Amino acid sequence: MLTMKQFSRRSFLSAVAGAAVPAWLANFHQLGAAHYNKVKITDIKTMMLQGPRSYTLVRIDTDAGVSGVAEAYGSPGLGVREEIHGLKETFIGKDPLQIDRLYTGYRYTDGSAHAQQRAMSGIEMALWDLAGKLLDVPTHVLLGGKFRGKVRLYDHSTPRSFFDKAVLRDWAQQVKEAPNGITMHKFGPLRNRPGDDPGRDPSNRMLSTDEVLRIRQGYENCREALGFEHDILIGCHWEFDLRSAIEFAEALADVKPKFLEDPLPVAYSESWKRLANMSPVPICTGENWMRRAEALPFIVNAAVDIIHPDLRNSGGFLENKRMADLADLYFLPVANHNTGSIVNGMASIHWASTIRDYFACETVFFDRTWMDDVIVHDQPLCQDGFVTVPDKPGLGIDLDPDVVKAHLAEGESWWG
């Protein structure tokens, strides 16, 4: 007779094994079977936009005259575009509908090179856009269908002061009147200057006593100005040691942030588990994960409350779907890190619509600037804090050549 521990382990392993070929992926293969080996990849091209960051767009061309477009990682983009072009010959002549094999089977995603993983992530998402166009269905249908018709965004709206009540009131009014209607805002803590605080050592990860008190007061002031109809998220950029992270979380309990992101350094350790156990605030991490194997210890050890991968880092759509399926076994919700252009923003919206327990997608755009106009649209992309999931084939987006050409990085031309 199996013990409960043995049963749990066997059930877990069975569930993970079963998730290796999920039903939605089997349905994609069934839908695409009649089209296999009828279209071949003829070229892979890149084009870089320049804004606050650089943005690496990827296009996969075929002999059917149909192309797929997505975004690989941009800033810092060192090596990413070069890796895409270095991999190109591997894909020429291949069937673009064999996405899992093209992504996984050639072993360019085994963690040996970060730039290569980021390159493959962009290629993989462009393949899904291409597959949707070839099969004449939205990409979200190929990913299993959408649970929601619109996806919530969070932005980086940050007050200029955490302590001036008049400035905070103006900030709160501004975010509440923003045309895109976003009601969830992420911003990090204000640290003391080392010269002003003898307890502040910029070379260690500790919070001084004065910092803890000031940070708590600052966020309480923000909450007072915003009220509770807007959500606060806190990004920490891997700054703290374990005890400081616990103290930080405890100090913010009354502010009720929806998550505390990246409070500890990136790699998994038992300290993440201790933090999640002791924190009164949900703990979130994941933007640096390259594959689901890096998410695994966080999930199975209950060391995180919300997983937060970036599609451009973590393998594109399929790998991140598998990661989300793993998180779902432990009843953990999913959010998306996204500092990409509007192209990756819309790709993330497609993917997010297919995740059952989904929280929100980060954005630094969707604010009715030139970046929104990189893709053709006839109404504001973000309304009331949500983006509607496109229902046209593929990702359902078309680039506007005039806007793109006006914002190309130095030395770039339209699809190079």
Side-chain angles (χ1 to χ4, degrees), residues 47 57-61 67-71 122 125-130 133 343 347 395 397 399 415:
M47 179 171 62
L57 305 187
V58 187
R59 191 179 82 185
I60 299 178
D61 296 336
S67 299
V69 174
E71 182 177 342
M125 288 188 283
L127 286 170
W128 283 106
D129 179 42
L130 176 57
K133 292 172 180 175
V343 174
L395 296 180
I397 61 174
L399 301 182
W415 290 119

Side-chain angles (χ1 to χ4, degrees), residues 237-314:
H237 294 97
W238 320 280
E239 284 192 52
F240 306 127
D241 58 34
L242 173 60
R243 276 296 165 185
S244 291
I246 293 170
E247 199 172 10
F248 184 94
E250 290 174 343
L252 295 169
D254 291 341
V255 175
K256 298 191 180 301
K258 296 301 290 184
F259 65 58
L260 193 63
E261 179 196 16
D262 299 333
L264 298 178
V266 174
Y268 176 77
S269 73
E270 289 294 303
S271 291
W272 279 100
K273 183 175 181 178
R274 288 180 62 195
L275 174 61
N277 285 338
M278 298 181 70
S279 173
V281 175
I283 300 300
C284 168
T285 195
E287 69 179 79
N288 299 96
W289 295 337
M290 289 178 62
R291 297 199 71 183
R292 63 190 184 275
E294 295 182 6
L296 182 65
F298 287 88
I299 293 171
V300 300
N301 291 305
V304 67
D305 298 298
I306 300 170
I307 70 167
H308 194 240
D310 188 312
L311 301 181
R312 300 165 302 161
N313 263 339
S314 305

Side-chain angles (χ1 to χ4, degrees), residues 13-26:
L13 292 174
S14 176
V16 172
V21 185
W24 67 266
L25 187 54

